[in-house]
Amino acid sequence: EVQHPLTAQLELPFRPSHLSLKFFTMAIGKNKRLTKSKKGGRKKAVDPFLKKEWYKLIAPSIFAVKDCGKTLITKTQGTKIASEGLKGRVFEMSLADLNKNEALSYRKIKLCIEDVQGFNCLLNFHGMDMTRDKLCSLIRKKQSIIEGSVDCRTTDGYIVRMFCIAFTKPQANQIKNTCYAKSAQSRAIRAKMTARMSELGSKGDLKSLVKELISAPIGEQIAREASGIFPVKDCYIRKVKVLKKPKFDVTALMEWHNADETPAGDVGKAVEPEDKGLAGAGGRL
């Protein structure tokens, strides 16, 4: 009896057929996971901040502080231009920092990058808000909250949405514990709010509106007008949103930044007055 050469080497207890031989034979190089390796190996870690550059933020001239911060962006590379990536960035700042007045720390101002000149980013007004802690400190029990909002268009083409908030207060010598306003009184106060805000927004340009919002006590004026309907306290313009802007104009933007500064150009030099000596025809000293 002739033994199969494979059974003789492996000393198997059975005699394999041609089919069983196919099971034992294995093709070389089919197991891809063993031979697979990463192309080029691991890349060298590069500090991402080496590819970035700093730009200075210039606030409008209506604020006391012009140089209000810095921002980062990746350097210009190929078709990706740094200045284009900066335009449209919105920054939220405290009015206390911008005007050096800690009493206004509850106000937050949003400024948007409109143009980039060299390493200077020229900012424009984008919105106004109130801090959460200030708003929460005003809300209490046993009083009514009256809120109103209005959309208005400024003379220079900006569409602005303003939100107002006010709280009812007890009358002088009131014994009753609560001071809730009736729905008709709330509607009447809300009408006063919206009328005052729409008048304020539509009478001038955006710059004059922002000046009014920052400096003038509009909330006190609304509270005074509404006091005939129901006593009101803590009246504030809670929030301002710029909904729509006109087409970008460099000259209009430069008005925001140059208005309060001295005009450019040669203005000359101060000259000392001449010593005329004797005064008049009488010759008295």
Side-chain angles (χ1 to χ4, degrees), residues 7-65:
T7 54
Q9 285 175 9
L10 297 174
E11 297 179 359
L12 295 173
F14 60 90
R15 189 173 295 168
S17 64
H18 290 290
L19 290 170
S20 60
L21 280 170
K22 284 180 186 177
F23 176 77
F24 283 108
T25 53
M26 185 176 173
I28 299 163
K30 288 277 178 163
N31 193 349
K32 289 182 180 177
R33 270 182 280 177
L34 295 173
T35 54
K36 200 172 183 181
S37 62
K38 287 181 183 178
K39 287 181 182 178
R42 188 174 287 178
K43 282 188 178 180
K44 202 175 182 182
V46 182
D47 185 17
F49 278 82
L50 295 173
K51 295 178 182 178
K52 302 200 180 281
E53 52 194 2
W54 291 93
Y55 282 76
K56 200 187 284 184
L57 303 176
I58 309 295
S61 57
I62 54 172
F63 301 108
V65 178

Short mmCIF file of all heavy atoms in Angstrom, two decimals, residues 7-65:
data_model
loop_
_atom_site.label_atom_id
_atom_site.label_comp_id
_atom_site.label_asym_id
_atom_site.label_seq_id
_atom_site.Cartn_x
_atom_site.Cartn_y
_atom_site.Cartn_z
N THR A 7 0.63 12.62 4.21
CA THR A 7 0.27 11.85 5.41
C THR A 7 1.50 11.27 6.06
O THR A 7 1.56 11.15 7.27
CB THR A 7 -0.70 10.73 5.05
OG1 THR A 7 -0.14 9.95 4.00
CG2 THR A 7 -2.04 11.27 4.64
N ALA A 8 2.50 10.97 5.25
CA ALA A 8 3.75 10.42 5.79
C ALA A 8 4.48 11.47 6.61
O ALA A 8 5.05 11.18 7.67
CB ALA A 8 4.62 9.94 4.65
N GLN A 9 4.48 12.77 6.15
CA GLN A 9 5.20 13.83 6.87
C GLN A 9 4.43 14.27 8.12
O GLN A 9 5.02 14.48 9.17
CB GLN A 9 5.37 15.05 5.95
CG GLN A 9 6.43 14.84 4.90
CD GLN A 9 6.49 16.02 3.93
OE1 GLN A 9 5.86 17.02 4.17
NE2 GLN A 9 7.24 15.83 2.85
N LEU A 10 3.10 14.42 8.01
CA LEU A 10 2.32 14.96 9.12
C LEU A 10 1.87 13.88 10.10
O LEU A 10 1.42 14.21 11.19
CB LEU A 10 1.09 15.69 8.57
CG LEU A 10 1.38 16.91 7.70
CD1 LEU A 10 0.07 17.44 7.12
CD2 LEU A 10 2.06 18.01 8.51
N GLU A 11 1.98 12.60 9.69
CA GLU A 11 1.55 11.47 10.51
C GLU A 11 0.10 11.63 10.92
O GLU A 11 -0.26 11.65 12.10
CB GLU A 11 2.44 11.30 11.75
CG GLU A 11 3.88 10.98 11.39
CD GLU A 11 4.75 10.84 12.63
OE1 GLU A 11 4.21 11.02 13.75
OE2 GLU A 11 5.94 10.58 12.48
N LEU A 12 -0.75 11.87 9.95
CA LEU A 12 -2.18 12.06 10.22
C LEU A 12 -2.84 10.69 10.38
O LEU A 12 -2.44 9.72 9.74
CB LEU A 12 -2.84 12.83 9.08
CG LEU A 12 -2.35 14.26 8.89
CD1 LEU A 12 -2.95 14.83 7.63
CD2 LEU A 12 -2.75 15.12 10.09
N PRO A 13 -3.90 10.60 11.21
CA PRO A 13 -4.57 9.29 11.41
C PRO A 13 -5.49 8.92 10.25
O PRO A 13 -6.06 7.86 10.25
CB PRO A 13 -5.38 9.52 12.69
CG PRO A 13 -5.60 10.99 12.73
CD PRO A 13 -4.43 11.63 12.08
N PHE A 14 -5.69 9.86 9.28
CA PHE A 14 -6.56 9.57 8.14
C PHE A 14 -5.81 9.86 6.86
O PHE A 14 -4.78 10.56 6.86
CB PHE A 14 -7.85 10.38 8.22
CG PHE A 14 -7.62 11.86 8.22
CD1 PHE A 14 -7.57 12.57 7.02
CD2 PHE A 14 -7.42 12.55 9.42
CE1 PHE A 14 -7.34 13.93 7.02
CE2 PHE A 14 -7.18 13.90 9.40
CZ PHE A 14 -7.14 14.61 8.21
N ARG A 15 -6.30 9.37 5.75
CA ARG A 15 -5.69 9.56 4.44
C ARG A 15 -6.47 10.66 3.72
O ARG A 15 -7.62 10.45 3.36
CB ARG A 15 -5.76 8.24 3.67
CG ARG A 15 -4.96 8.26 2.39
CD ARG A 15 -4.93 6.90 1.77
NE ARG A 15 -4.20 5.97 2.62
CZ ARG A 15 -4.20 4.65 2.45
NH1 ARG A 15 -4.90 4.11 1.49
NH2 ARG A 15 -3.50 3.87 3.25
N PRO A 16 -5.87 11.87 3.54
CA PRO A 16 -6.63 12.98 2.93
C PRO A 16 -6.86 12.74 1.44
O PRO A 16 -6.05 12.17 0.77
CB PRO A 16 -5.73 14.19 3.15
CG PRO A 16 -4.36 13.62 3.23
CD PRO A 16 -4.48 12.26 3.85
N SER A 17 -8.02 13.27 1.01
CA SER A 17 -8.34 13.24 -0.42
C SER A 17 -7.87 14.55 -1.05
O SER A 17 -7.28 15.40 -0.37
CB SER A 17 -9.85 13.06 -0.58
OG SER A 17 -10.49 14.19 -0.03
N HIS A 18 -8.13 14.73 -2.35
CA HIS A 18 -7.75 15.97 -3.05
C HIS A 18 -8.50 17.17 -2.51
O HIS A 18 -7.98 18.27 -2.48
CB HIS A 18 -8.01 15.80 -4.56
CG HIS A 18 -7.04 14.84 -5.17
ND1 HIS A 18 -5.72 15.15 -5.33
CD2 HIS A 18 -7.21 13.58 -5.67
CE1 HIS A 18 -5.11 14.13 -5.90
NE2 HIS A 18 -5.99 13.15 -6.12
N LEU A 19 -9.74 16.95 -2.03
CA LEU A 19 -10.55 18.05 -1.48
C LEU A 19 -9.97 18.54 -0.16
O LEU A 19 -9.88 19.73 0.10
CB LEU A 19 -12.00 17.62 -1.29
CG LEU A 19 -12.80 17.40 -2.56
CD1 LEU A 19 -14.12 16.73 -2.23
CD2 LEU A 19 -13.03 18.72 -3.28
N SER A 20 -9.57 17.60 0.67
CA SER A 20 -8.99 17.97 1.96
C SER A 20 -7.64 18.65 1.79
O SER A 20 -7.23 19.46 2.60
CB SER A 20 -8.88 16.76 2.87
OG SER A 20 -8.05 15.81 2.24
N LEU A 21 -6.91 18.41 0.71
CA LEU A 21 -5.63 19.06 0.44
C LEU A 21 -5.83 20.55 0.17
O LEU A 21 -5.05 21.38 0.58
CB LEU A 21 -4.94 18.40 -0.76
CG LEU A 21 -4.21 17.09 -0.47
CD1 LEU A 21 -3.79 16.44 -1.76
CD2 LEU A 21 -3.00 17.35 0.43
N LYS A 22 -6.96 20.89 -0.51
CA LYS A 22 -7.26 22.29 -0.79
C LYS A 22 -7.48 23.07 0.49
O LYS A 22 -7.19 24.24 0.61
CB LYS A 22 -8.50 22.39 -1.68
CG LYS A 22 -8.21 22.03 -3.12
CD LYS A 22 -9.46 22.15 -3.95
CE LYS A 22 -9.20 21.66 -5.38
NZ LYS A 22 -10.42 21.70 -6.18
N PHE A 23 -8.02 22.42 1.51
CA PHE A 23 -8.28 23.06 2.79
C PHE A 23 -6.97 23.44 3.48
O PHE A 23 -6.85 24.49 4.09
CB PHE A 23 -9.10 22.10 3.66
CG PHE A 23 -9.34 22.61 5.05
CD1 PHE A 23 -10.31 23.60 5.28
CD2 PHE A 23 -8.59 22.14 6.11
CE1 PHE A 23 -10.52 24.06 6.56
CE2 PHE A 23 -8.81 22.63 7.37
CZ PHE A 23 -9.78 23.59 7.61
N PHE A 24 -5.94 22.62 3.35
CA PHE A 24 -4.65 22.86 4.03
C PHE A 24 -3.79 23.89 3.30
O PHE A 24 -3.01 24.58 3.92
CB PHE A 24 -3.87 21.54 4.18
CG PHE A 24 -4.41 20.69 5.29
CD1 PHE A 24 -5.13 19.54 5.02
CD2 PHE A 24 -4.21 21.06 6.61
CE1 PHE A 24 -5.63 18.75 6.05
CE2 PHE A 24 -4.70 20.28 7.64
CZ PHE A 24 -5.41 19.12 7.35
N THR A 25 -3.92 23.96 1.99
CA THR A 25 -3.07 24.90 1.24
C THR A 25 -3.58 26.33 1.46
O THR A 25 -4.78 26.57 1.47
CB THR A 25 -3.09 24.59 -0.27
OG1 THR A 25 -4.44 24.54 -0.69
CG2 THR A 25 -2.37 23.31 -0.58
N MET A 26 -2.67 27.29 1.66
CA MET A 26 -3.04 28.68 1.96
C MET A 26 -2.25 29.61 1.05
O MET A 26 -1.04 29.48 0.92
CB MET A 26 -2.70 28.96 3.43
CG MET A 26 -3.13 30.33 3.90
SD MET A 26 -2.78 30.46 5.64
CE MET A 26 -3.16 32.16 5.87
N ALA A 27 -2.96 30.55 0.40
CA ALA A 27 -2.31 31.50 -0.51
C ALA A 27 -1.48 32.50 0.28
O ALA A 27 -1.90 32.99 1.33
CB ALA A 27 -3.35 32.21 -1.34
N ILE A 28 -0.32 32.81 -0.22
CA ILE A 28 0.60 33.74 0.45
C ILE A 28 0.22 35.18 0.07
O ILE A 28 -0.04 35.47 -1.08
CB ILE A 28 2.06 33.45 0.06
CG1 ILE A 28 2.40 32.02 0.50
CG2 ILE A 28 3.02 34.46 0.71
CD1 ILE A 28 3.61 31.47 -0.18
N GLY A 29 0.23 36.11 1.08
CA GLY A 29 0.03 37.54 0.82
C GLY A 29 -1.42 37.99 0.76
O GLY A 29 -1.71 39.08 0.36
N LYS A 30 -2.39 37.15 1.17
CA LYS A 30 -3.80 37.54 1.14
C LYS A 30 -4.23 38.24 2.44
O LYS A 30 -5.21 38.94 2.46
CB LYS A 30 -4.68 36.31 0.90
CG LYS A 30 -4.59 35.78 -0.50
CD LYS A 30 -5.49 36.55 -1.42
CE LYS A 30 -5.32 36.03 -2.85
NZ LYS A 30 -6.42 36.44 -3.69
N ASN A 31 -3.51 38.02 3.54
CA ASN A 31 -3.87 38.64 4.81
C ASN A 31 -3.34 40.08 4.81
O ASN A 31 -2.18 40.33 5.09
CB ASN A 31 -3.29 37.83 5.97
CG ASN A 31 -3.90 38.25 7.29
OD1 ASN A 31 -4.59 39.26 7.35
ND2 ASN A 31 -3.64 37.46 8.32
N LYS A 32 -4.23 41.02 4.47
CA LYS A 32 -3.79 42.40 4.25
C LYS A 32 -3.44 43.12 5.54
O LYS A 32 -2.68 44.08 5.55
CB LYS A 32 -4.88 43.17 3.50
CG LYS A 32 -5.02 42.72 2.07
CD LYS A 32 -6.06 43.51 1.35
CE LYS A 32 -6.18 43.02 -0.09
NZ LYS A 32 -7.22 43.73 -0.82
N ARG A 33 -4.02 42.73 6.65
CA ARG A 33 -3.80 43.45 7.91
C ARG A 33 -2.37 43.32 8.41
O ARG A 33 -1.87 44.18 9.12
CB ARG A 33 -4.76 42.94 8.97
CG ARG A 33 -6.08 43.72 8.97
CD ARG A 33 -7.00 43.26 10.04
NE ARG A 33 -7.69 42.02 9.65
CZ ARG A 33 -8.51 41.36 10.44
NH1 ARG A 33 -8.74 41.78 11.65
NH2 ARG A 33 -9.11 40.28 10.01
N LEU A 34 -1.72 42.24 8.07
CA LEU A 34 -0.34 42.03 8.53
C LEU A 34 0.64 42.93 7.78
O LEU A 34 1.61 43.42 8.37
CB LEU A 34 0.06 40.56 8.34
CG LEU A 34 -0.72 39.55 9.18
CD1 LEU A 34 -0.35 38.14 8.76
CD2 LEU A 34 -0.42 39.75 10.66
N THR A 35 0.39 43.17 6.52
CA THR A 35 1.36 43.93 5.69
C THR A 35 1.03 45.42 5.64
O THR A 35 1.84 46.21 5.20
CB THR A 35 1.35 43.37 4.25
OG1 THR A 35 0.01 43.40 3.77
CG2 THR A 35 1.88 41.96 4.22
N LYS A 36 -0.20 45.81 6.11
CA LYS A 36 -0.62 47.21 5.98
C LYS A 36 0.17 48.10 6.95
O LYS A 36 0.33 47.77 8.12
CB LYS A 36 -2.11 47.33 6.26
CG LYS A 36 -2.72 48.61 5.70
CD LYS A 36 -4.23 48.59 5.84
CE LYS A 36 -4.82 49.83 5.21
NZ LYS A 36 -6.26 49.87 5.34
N SER A 37 0.61 49.25 6.45
CA SER A 37 1.31 50.22 7.30
C SER A 37 0.90 51.63 6.89
O SER A 37 0.47 51.86 5.76
CB SER A 37 2.83 50.06 7.16
OG SER A 37 3.21 50.31 5.83
N LYS A 38 1.02 52.62 7.81
CA LYS A 38 0.61 54.00 7.53
C LYS A 38 1.57 54.65 6.54
O LYS A 38 2.78 54.49 6.65
CB LYS A 38 0.58 54.79 8.83
CG LYS A 38 -0.59 54.43 9.72
CD LYS A 38 -0.57 55.26 10.98
CE LYS A 38 -1.71 54.83 11.90
NZ LYS A 38 -1.69 55.58 13.15
N LYS A 39 0.98 55.41 5.62
CA LYS A 39 1.81 56.08 4.62
C LYS A 39 2.53 57.26 5.25
O LYS A 39 1.91 58.12 5.87
CB LYS A 39 0.93 56.57 3.46
CG LYS A 39 0.43 55.45 2.57
CD LYS A 39 -0.40 56.00 1.45
CE LYS A 39 -0.94 54.87 0.57
NZ LYS A 39 -1.80 55.38 -0.49
N GLY A 40 3.81 57.31 5.09
CA GLY A 40 4.59 58.46 5.56
C GLY A 40 4.83 58.51 7.05
O GLY A 40 5.49 59.42 7.54
N GLY A 41 4.25 57.60 7.81
CA GLY A 41 4.44 57.61 9.26
C GLY A 41 3.67 58.75 9.92
O GLY A 41 2.87 59.41 9.30
N ARG A 42 3.94 59.00 11.19
CA ARG A 42 3.26 60.06 11.93
C ARG A 42 3.87 61.42 11.61
O ARG A 42 5.08 61.57 11.57
CB ARG A 42 3.37 59.77 13.42
CG ARG A 42 2.54 60.72 14.27
CD ARG A 42 2.54 60.33 15.72
NE ARG A 42 1.73 59.14 15.95
CZ ARG A 42 1.60 58.56 17.14
NH1 ARG A 42 2.25 59.05 18.18
NH2 ARG A 42 0.87 57.48 17.28
N LYS A 43 2.98 62.45 11.41
CA LYS A 43 3.47 63.79 11.11
C LYS A 43 4.04 64.44 12.35
O LYS A 43 3.56 64.20 13.46
CB LYS A 43 2.33 64.64 10.55
CG LYS A 43 2.00 64.35 9.10
CD LYS A 43 1.00 65.36 8.58
CE LYS A 43 0.72 65.10 7.10
NZ LYS A 43 -0.26 66.05 6.56
N LYS A 44 4.99 65.31 12.13
CA LYS A 44 5.61 66.01 13.25
C LYS A 44 4.65 67.06 13.79
O LYS A 44 4.06 67.83 13.04
CB LYS A 44 6.90 66.69 12.77
CG LYS A 44 7.88 66.98 13.88
CD LYS A 44 9.18 67.54 13.32
CE LYS A 44 10.17 67.78 14.42
NZ LYS A 44 11.43 68.35 13.90
N ALA A 45 4.45 67.06 15.11
CA ALA A 45 3.51 68.00 15.74
C ALA A 45 4.07 69.43 15.67
O ALA A 45 5.19 69.69 16.11
CB ALA A 45 3.27 67.61 17.19
N VAL A 46 3.27 70.34 15.07
CA VAL A 46 3.67 71.75 14.93
C VAL A 46 2.74 72.60 15.78
O VAL A 46 1.53 72.38 15.79
CB VAL A 46 3.61 72.20 13.44
CG1 VAL A 46 4.08 73.64 13.29
CG2 VAL A 46 4.44 71.28 12.58
N ASP A 47 3.30 73.56 16.50
CA ASP A 47 2.50 74.45 17.33
C ASP A 47 1.60 75.30 16.43
O ASP A 47 2.10 76.07 15.59
CB ASP A 47 3.41 75.34 18.17
CG ASP A 47 2.63 76.22 19.14
OD1 ASP A 47 1.45 75.90 19.38
OD2 ASP A 47 3.19 77.20 19.64
N PRO A 48 0.25 75.21 16.55
CA PRO A 48 -0.64 75.97 15.65
C PRO A 48 -0.52 77.48 15.81
O PRO A 48 -0.85 78.23 14.90
CB PRO A 48 -2.04 75.49 16.05
CG PRO A 48 -1.89 74.90 17.40
CD PRO A 48 -0.51 74.39 17.49
N PHE A 49 -0.04 77.93 16.97
CA PHE A 49 0.07 79.38 17.20
C PHE A 49 1.20 80.02 16.41
O PHE A 49 1.24 81.25 16.29
CB PHE A 49 0.24 79.67 18.70
CG PHE A 49 -1.06 79.66 19.43
CD1 PHE A 49 -1.64 78.47 19.85
CD2 PHE A 49 -1.74 80.84 19.70
CE1 PHE A 49 -2.85 78.46 20.51
CE2 PHE A 49 -2.95 80.84 20.36
CZ PHE A 49 -3.51 79.64 20.77
N LEU A 50 2.10 79.21 15.86
CA LEU A 50 3.17 79.76 15.02
C LEU A 50 2.62 80.27 13.69
O LEU A 50 3.21 81.14 13.06
CB LEU A 50 4.25 78.70 14.76
CG LEU A 50 5.04 78.23 15.99
CD1 LEU A 50 5.93 77.07 15.60
CD2 LEU A 50 5.87 79.36 16.58
N LYS A 51 1.45 79.72 13.28
CA LYS A 51 0.84 80.12 12.00
C LYS A 51 -0.15 81.27 12.16
O LYS A 51 -0.81 81.65 11.22
CB LYS A 51 0.12 78.91 11.38
CG LYS A 51 1.05 77.78 10.97
CD LYS A 51 0.23 76.63 10.43
CE LYS A 51 1.12 75.44 10.06
NZ LYS A 51 0.32 74.31 9.59
N LYS A 52 -0.26 81.81 13.37
CA LYS A 52 -1.27 82.84 13.62
C LYS A 52 -0.64 84.20 13.86
O LYS A 52 0.54 84.30 14.17
CB LYS A 52 -2.13 82.45 14.84
CG LYS A 52 -2.82 81.10 14.64
CD LYS A 52 -3.98 80.90 15.52
CE LYS A 52 -4.63 79.55 15.28
NZ LYS A 52 -5.47 79.52 14.12
N GLU A 53 -1.47 85.26 13.70
CA GLU A 53 -1.01 86.63 13.94
C GLU A 53 -2.10 87.41 14.66
O GLU A 53 -3.29 87.10 14.54
CB GLU A 53 -0.62 87.32 12.63
CG GLU A 53 -1.64 87.27 11.53
CD GLU A 53 -1.07 87.67 10.17
OE1 GLU A 53 0.14 87.93 10.08
OE2 GLU A 53 -1.85 87.70 9.20
N TRP A 54 -1.66 88.43 15.40
CA TRP A 54 -2.56 89.23 16.23
C TRP A 54 -3.00 90.50 15.50
O TRP A 54 -2.21 91.15 14.85
CB TRP A 54 -1.86 89.63 17.54
CG TRP A 54 -1.62 88.48 18.46
CD1 TRP A 54 -0.49 87.72 18.53
CD2 TRP A 54 -2.53 87.95 19.43
NE1 TRP A 54 -0.64 86.74 19.49
CE2 TRP A 54 -1.87 86.86 20.05
CE3 TRP A 54 -3.82 88.28 19.82
CZ2 TRP A 54 -2.48 86.11 21.06
CZ3 TRP A 54 -4.42 87.53 20.83
CH2 TRP A 54 -3.75 86.46 21.43
N TYR A 55 -4.28 90.83 15.67
CA TYR A 55 -4.85 92.07 15.11
C TYR A 55 -5.44 92.90 16.25
O TYR A 55 -6.04 92.36 17.18
CB TYR A 55 -5.94 91.76 14.08
CG TYR A 55 -5.40 91.35 12.72
CD1 TYR A 55 -4.89 90.08 12.51
CD2 TYR A 55 -5.40 92.24 11.65
CE1 TYR A 55 -4.40 89.70 11.26
CE2 TYR A 55 -4.92 91.86 10.40
CZ TYR A 55 -4.42 90.60 10.22
OH TYR A 55 -3.93 90.23 8.98
N LYS A 56 -5.28 94.21 16.16
CA LYS A 56 -5.78 95.13 17.20
C LYS A 56 -7.23 95.51 16.90
O LYS A 56 -7.58 95.74 15.74
CB LYS A 56 -4.89 96.38 17.22
CG LYS A 56 -4.97 97.17 18.53
CD LYS A 56 -4.21 98.48 18.40
CE LYS A 56 -2.71 98.27 18.48
NZ LYS A 56 -2.01 99.58 18.44
N LEU A 57 -8.04 95.59 17.96
CA LEU A 57 -9.45 95.97 17.82
C LEU A 57 -9.61 97.45 18.15
O LEU A 57 -9.20 97.89 19.23
CB LEU A 57 -10.33 95.14 18.75
CG LEU A 57 -10.26 93.62 18.59
CD1 LEU A 57 -11.12 92.94 19.63
CD2 LEU A 57 -10.71 93.19 17.20
N ILE A 58 -10.17 98.22 17.23
CA ILE A 58 -10.37 99.66 17.42
C ILE A 58 -11.87 99.93 17.56
O ILE A 58 -12.64 99.72 16.61
CB ILE A 58 -9.79 100.48 16.24
CG1 ILE A 58 -8.33 100.07 15.95
CG2 ILE A 58 -9.90 101.98 16.51
CD1 ILE A 58 -7.34 100.35 17.04
N ALA A 59 -12.28 100.40 18.73
CA ALA A 59 -13.69 100.69 19.01
C ALA A 59 -14.08 102.05 18.41
O ALA A 59 -13.21 102.90 18.19
CB ALA A 59 -13.93 100.70 20.51
N PRO A 60 -15.37 102.28 18.15
CA PRO A 60 -15.81 103.60 17.63
C PRO A 60 -15.49 104.73 18.61
O PRO A 60 -15.31 104.50 19.81
CB PRO A 60 -17.32 103.43 17.47
CG PRO A 60 -17.54 101.97 17.35
CD PRO A 60 -16.49 101.32 18.19
N SER A 61 -15.44 105.95 18.07
CA SER A 61 -14.99 107.11 18.86
C SER A 61 -16.00 107.55 19.91
O SER A 61 -15.68 108.38 20.76
CB SER A 61 -14.68 108.28 17.92
OG SER A 61 -15.81 108.58 17.14
N ILE A 62 -17.23 107.02 19.89
CA ILE A 62 -18.21 107.39 20.92
C ILE A 62 -17.86 106.78 22.28
O ILE A 62 -18.38 107.23 23.30
CB ILE A 62 -19.65 106.98 20.51
CG1 ILE A 62 -19.73 105.50 20.15
CG2 ILE A 62 -20.17 107.85 19.40
CD1 ILE A 62 -21.14 104.99 19.92
N PHE A 63 -16.98 105.79 22.30
CA PHE A 63 -16.53 105.18 23.56
C PHE A 63 -15.22 105.82 24.01
O PHE A 63 -14.44 106.29 23.18
CB PHE A 63 -16.34 103.67 23.39
CG PHE A 63 -17.58 102.94 22.96
CD1 PHE A 63 -17.70 102.43 21.68
CD2 PHE A 63 -18.65 102.78 23.83
CE1 PHE A 63 -18.85 101.77 21.27
CE2 PHE A 63 -19.81 102.12 23.44
CZ PHE A 63 -19.90 101.62 22.16
N ALA A 64 -14.98 105.81 25.32
CA ALA A 64 -13.79 106.45 25.88
C ALA A 64 -12.51 105.69 25.51
O ALA A 64 -11.47 106.29 25.27
CB ALA A 64 -13.92 106.56 27.39
N VAL A 65 -12.59 104.37 25.47
CA VAL A 65 -11.41 103.52 25.16
C VAL A 65 -11.49 103.09 23.71
O VAL A 65 -12.46 102.45 23.29
CB VAL A 65 -11.36 102.29 26.09
CG1 VAL A 65 -10.18 101.40 25.76
CG2 VAL A 65 -11.29 102.72 27.54
#
